[in-house]
Amino acid sequence: MVSTARAPGKGRKSEVARYQMYIDGKFVDAAGGKTFDVYDPATEGVIATCPAGEAEDVDRAVQAAVRAFYGGWRSVSAQERGRVLFRLAERVRARRAELAELETINSGKPIVESEYDMDDTATCFEYYGGLATKINGEVLPVPADAIAMAMREPVGIAGQIIPWNYPLMMAAWKIAPALAAGCTVVLKPAEQTPLSILKLAEDFEAVGLPPGVVNVVTGDGPGAGAPLVAHPKVRKIAFTGSAEVGKLIMRSAADQLKRVSLELGGKSPNIFFSDADFENAVDGALFGTFINQGEVCSAGSRVLVQQDIYKKFVDAAAAKAKTIRLGPGVDRETKMGPLVSAEQRDRVASYLKVGRGEAKVAAGGGTPKEFDTGWYVEPTIFYDVDNGARIAQEEIFGPVMSVIPFRDEAEAIRIANESPYGLAAAVWTRDIFKAFRVVKSLEAGIVWVNHMQPTFVEAPWGGYKMSGFGRELGHWGVEEYLETKQVFINLDEKPIGWY
Ligand code: ADP
Ligand code: MG
């Protein structure tokens, strides 16, 4: 069915695994027979091929999801849906090492980060396994001899499109709430990183997912993503990715007034007041920007530093950034892996060029010379950045920090909010009054105080402004997959008598 992907070590001949996509409970090739290559970003070698799904494959998957929805999944008890999710979580935990290794080989990220991702993936399935039995309706006190209710029902067939930065975790964030709600799913992973979800799909049948309840169609955006968005039987699209594609999806979904939720990019401010704990602050700036090679939608890539600590802060951050150990993700000593693709490395490198013209370089600023292979970029810190500069306004999605000085609280808030995005923000200070004032002023869907990036399945995730709308995780996440039905049960034996 699916053989294990192995990273070709340098000089070793690569062993290319042939993956198939998962439709209607079976692993299948694309109807058109085409495939695309999947890479190891550390070796630049091809590690696998995947079916290049197109409209016909999407249609097969959607039809399977329709049959599964009307044929039973929507009436499977909430308890059983919950148990399926618990069993999925158990499989992720049981296969943690294998899935984490595959994730690292395919995405480039350090193995330790992949292991955390697997834990978060399992936790997400568990959380929604528990939530499945807590989706309640309400009884409403209407002024009539009646029982009036609001019932919750699954929205139907959900189309889900995810990015390449947290491949299996993003799949769990999407699949878990949809199944808890009683929806069936057609998921399209990113073409760069389809392997981990296909690996987990090997267990779908064993955990009790009937054929068609979760389908995974591989392919690129225009080939497989666009027909999924346009399919008339898909009632809801959940998308995580770039703002550019988010706009395309919203336009396309408008034709059928499909429900849409969008988790798009960000250029999140990470604000450091001079009274913050200095060492923690410097660590927080680096962690906020460089975790996962900076390929994080909530990356705190706009670092705002108060003037009286500005110089010291830039120097300390730069000194630390220069010690970050780059290398293949499979090496346990690695602190930063290569970027996911040559395309992404080139995109980030082009921003480094822009940045060198717009600001001063404190650390990095290019691609490292010491590797023969691998799509690496140096952890880079630009300083004296104007907030209007491209490197302060545009999402780079790589290990690039833009440091901007500010004078006082009012100026920090103004700069922080001067962005088309509003996904996340963080503020570092020991003054709780200041912390709360800033929290209340920031236009962002997630605000951290004296930390940046901790993410928990219990808490809502999503953005303001051009970072999109809709919320994932927590009980908000399941709302995205539910309709609300008003039910009025008349108890008056002569209810009308008008004519
Ligand atoms: P990036 O450019 O960083 O890869 P994208 O937003 O293009 O980010 O990709 C995120 C996801 O959206 C991927 O799964 C990709 O295949 C998908 N995608 C890209 N273009 C489209 C499109 N036109 N319609 C639907 N999905 C798309
Ligand atoms: Mg794209």
Side-chain angles (χ1 to χ4, degrees), residues 188-448:
K188 194 203 84 63
E191 56 273 32
Q192 295 85 352
T193 55
L195 303 187
S196 50
I197 184 62
L198 290 173
K199 266 279 158 213
L200 187 62
E202 294 171 350
D203 288 331
F204 283 177
E205 198 181 330
V207 300
L209 277 173
V213 172
V214 180
N215 306 275
V216 182
V217 175
T218 53
D220 66 11
L228 181 58
V229 177
H231 199 293
K233 296 277 196 233
V234 173
R235 296 268 175 76
K236 190 235 150 59
I237 294 291
F239 172 74
T240 299
S242 62
E244 179 198 344
V245 174
K247 289 185 221 173
L248 289 178
I249 287 180
M250 199 167 159
R251 283 194 198 104
S252 167
D255 281 341
Q256 296 148 18
L257 293 170
K258 233 167 249 186
R259 280 112 188 86
V260 175
S261 52
L262 303 173
E263 204 268 84
L264 310 175
K267 193 74 190 179
S268 297
N270 198 358
I271 307 167
F272 296 92
F273 286 99
S274 52
D275 66 349
D277 180 288
F278 189 80
E279 287 303 313
N280 282 340
V282 171
D283 278 346
L286 297 189
F287 188 78
T289 318
F290 294 146
I291 189 81
N292 206 49
Q293 301 79 238
E295 297 167 317
V296 181
C297 53
S298 57
S301 51
R302 271 193 308 149
V303 169
L304 277 48
V305 183
Q306 197 159 21
Q307 231 151 33
D308 33 347
I309 56 164
Y310 179 73
K311 182 76 180 67
K312 189 175 153 206
F313 192 99
V314 170
D315 290 344
K320 264 202 168 159
K322 289 174 187 163
T323 69
I324 293 174
R325 181 166 166 155
L326 266 69
V330 288
D331 178 350
R332 284 202 171 266
E333 303 301 310
T334 290
K335 283 284 161 89
M336 185 183 289
L339 302 196
V340 73
S341 64
E343 183 193 1
Q344 188 60 17
R345 190 267 320 270
D346 292 347
R347 184 147 75 186
V348 174
S350 79
Y351 273 109
L352 295 180
K353 188 155 173 258
V354 168
R356 290 194 301 266
E358 286 182 329
K360 296 179 187 139
V361 179
T367 49
K369 307 283 168 279
E370 64 265 35
F371 298 98
D372 310 336
T373 63
W375 296 311
Y376 295 94
V377 171
E378 288 169 344
T380 295
I381 299 178
F382 290 116
Y383 69 109
D384 287 1
V385 179
D386 185 278
N387 192 50
R390 286 187 60 198
I391 56 164
Q393 289 293 305
E394 298 175 23
E395 183 175 50
I396 298 175
F397 227 68
V400 185
M401 183 192 297
S402 296
V403 189
I404 303 169
F406 69 86
R407 277 185 305 278
D408 55 17
E409 190 180 321
E411 192 182 35
I413 292 165
R414 181 179 60 73
I415 295 172
N417 287 336
E418 270 173 16
S419 168
Y421 294 111
L423 184 57
V427 52
W428 301 70
T429 175
R430 281 187 275 208
D431 174 345
I432 62 162
F433 294 97
K434 185 155 60 185
F436 279 109
R437 282 195 306 268
V438 174
V439 165
K440 285 183 73 175
S441 307
L442 290 170
E443 294 178 324
I446 302 141
V447 183
W448 292 290

Side-chain angles (χ1 to χ4, degrees), residues 75-93:
S75 10
V76 166
S77 74
Q79 290 191 349
E80 175 56 16
R81 294 201 308 277
R83 282 191 291 263
V84 166
L85 286 164
F86 291 139
R87 291 193 289 261
L88 255 181
E90 274 170 35
R91 292 309 301 151
V92 173
R93 292 201 195 283

